[in-house]
Every structure is written in structure tokens, then in C-alpha cells.
Amino acid sequence: MKNLFFLLLILSLASCSKSELNWLVLSPNNLEGLTNLKFLLSGLTTTIFISVVSIIISIILGLVVAIPSLAKNKFLTYINIGYVEIVRAIPLLVLILWIYYGLPIMTGISFSPFVSGIIALSISESAFQAEIFRAGINSIKKAQWEAGSSLGLNFFRKLRLVILPQAIKNILPAIGNQFVYVLKMSSLVSIIGIGDLTRKANELVVTTYRPLEIYTFLIFEYLILILIVSYFVRKLEKKLKTD
């Protein structure tokens, strides 16, 4: 956190010498600036909510996708490989636009911008989560599977009771890092009109004509938010190492 305050101080001092900057548009000391600040910050809850919901859905979907890769059946393995490779090859922005604009034309099923953004983020992230789960499960020694078999457990009970509890402990830091990634990528949902941090900044730029100040503030918003999340992810990593 000290590094964050130091960075903010440097940027603030540097900006003071730039005559083209006018921070009054975002100053809490005047009514206009305070209103603008409240407007920008109103997108914070939307950004956080979309990111949290998307990461939860992607974890569940990623686990479902990862399970076929554990089977000895080549067909099931190819399903896993095909899903992961195809989804990872599609840019997130393109996927958001296709689900919102293309899917209704193809199927007649349409979603609100909010739901479309969550679906796109969840699908895109699920491919990465599937690989994380696959690597985590494969890191568990074969003896653990054999121990489950000796207890008379079937495949899914072994996975749920023996393997996953150990694998999840190993992959939690990676999942935390992916949450940071989802937070950043959530800014793309603004393209379909969701009122997140980025969308609010774009709308304010149109009315104030001060893109430099507003987008600089937007950077600080994401920077502080992601640094906070990263701090807790590191604490989680340290805790898991000491356990």
C-alpha cells in the first residue's frame, strides 16, 4: 500500500505542472466536482458484482469442463481440449458482442446487457479455470486415488471427498489471480451499455469534455481496486504455505 500512495503522490505532483489539466471537474470542494465523483464511483458496485458473479460461475463451469480430461476415454478428453482451445481463441470483446447482438439473431433468445456481460465473462474465464482445475487435480498423487478406491468410493465420490479438497488448496492462489484478471476484463462490458466504472467514465467525458482527468481517475479506480484484491490474494498464498 505504501507503494500505491507513493505512486499517487508522484503522479499528483507531476500533474500540477501541466497547465492543460483541470482537476476542478473532479474536485470534492465544489458541487460539480462532487457530483462527478459520485457519478464515477457509482459504477464500482456494478464492476465488483459482475466480476464476483462471473468468477463464481466460471469456477463451476471450469470444474465441469475439467472432469472429462480425467477420463481415459479419448472422446471425453477431446471434448475438454476442444472447449478450452476454442474458448481461449475467441477474444472476450468479440464474445461479448456476439452474445448480445448475434445470439438473438441466430436463436431468437436475447439477454439484457447485464446478463450478456456475465455470460460472456463466465464462458471466457471458464476455459482458464478448467486448465487450473486440471493441473490441480493432476498434481494430486495417484496414491490418493488408490486410497479412495480402497474405501469403496466411486469416481465422483473420490473426486469430491478425497481429491478436490486437496486440489482446491493448491489452486486457490491461481483462482485469486484469475479474479484480478476478471476485474480488469470486466471493463469491456461497457461496450454494450453496462454502467460499470468504464461506462460511467465514458459518459462523463461526453458531458465534460475532460478525457485526460476522467480517464486518469479511472486508472486510479482500477489500480486501487486491483491492488486491494492482490493484497488479499498474497495473504491467502502465505496462509496456505504456512498451513
Side-chain angles (χ1 to χ4, degrees), residues 179-233:
F179 180 52
V180 172
Y181 173 78
V182 171
L183 270 174
K184 292 191 292 185
M185 292 298 102
S186 68
S187 62
L188 295 176
V189 301
S190 63
I191 195 70
I192 55 175
I194 297 177
D196 69 328
L197 290 173
T198 303
R199 180 72 180 189
K200 294 295 184 179
N202 289 337
E203 292 177 357
L204 193 58
V205 166
V206 172
T207 58
T208 62
Y209 304 101
R210 304 303 305 184
L212 181 57
E213 294 85 348
I214 293 170
Y215 287 135
T216 299
F217 185 80
L218 179 64
I219 289 175
F220 286 148
E221 286 181 299
Y222 277 107
L223 179 63
I224 294 172
L225 182 60
I226 290 172
L227 284 177
I228 291 172
V229 174
S230 299
Y231 170 77
F232 285 107
V233 169

Side-chain angles (χ1 to χ4, degrees), residues 5 18 20 27-28 32 54 64 66 78 91 100-101 108 131 134-135 186 198 215 222 231:
F5 291 125
K18 302 294 184 180
E20 64 269 18
S27 174
E32 180 188 2
S54 297
V64 172
Y78 289 148
Y100 186 63
Y101 294 107
E131 288 297 275
R134 184 184 63 81
S186 68
T198 303
Y215 287 135
Y222 277 107
Y231 170 77

Side-chain angles (χ1 to χ4, degrees), residues 124-174:
S124 180
E125 176 60 20
S126 66
F128 297 95
Q129 294 293 341
E131 288 297 275
I132 290 173
F133 272 107
R134 184 184 63 81
I137 292 172
N138 288 335
S139 68
I140 304 303
K141 295 180 180 179
K142 187 178 179 181
Q144 297 296 317
W145 289 94
E146 295 172 349
S149 299
S150 67
L151 295 173
L153 303 177
N154 60 31
F155 173 80
F156 288 102
R157 286 179 65 84
K158 280 188 290 186
L159 187 64
R160 181 170 64 88
L161 299 175
V162 180
I163 305 302
L164 274 181
Q166 300 178 67
I168 288 175
K169 181 179 178 180
N170 294 336
I171 66 176
L172 271 178

